[in-house]
Amino acid sequence: MDGTAIIIILAIAGVLSVLLLAVRGLLDQVPDVIESATRVRHAWRGFRNSDGLPPGHQDEEPPSAP
């Protein structure tokens, strides 16, 4: 019975440590995901507001017809 209890305690500790490492890995990725989402949002707004003009040409007036 003593050996079984020790094995169970070690197994539980091992599972908990693996779960903590997995959660830590996921939480370490959260700032990168937020930064990527921000870049996507800015790119999408720039795409929607550009009216089909290439980047850098949004402030110029369209050429007039002769």
Side-chain angles (χ1 to χ4, degrees):
M1 184 69 177
D2 274 340
T4 304
I6 292 173
I7 298 280
I8 290 173
I9 290 171
L10 288 175
I12 291 172
V15 169
L16 287 177
S17 68
V18 169
L19 286 175
L20 287 175
L21 285 174
V23 169
R24 179 180 173 212
L26 288 173
L27 290 177
D28 284 344
Q29 294 176 3
V30 169
D32 294 333
V33 170
I34 292 171
E35 183 179 334
S36 295
T38 302
R39 285 196 314 259
V40 167
R41 189 175 343 128
H42 287 303
W44 178 252
R45 285 181 183 164
F47 175 73
R48 272 192 350 195
N49 294 335
S50 70
D51 295 329
L53 296 175
H57 293 90
Q58 286 91 1
D59 296 334
E60 297 177 9
E61 293 182 16
S64 60

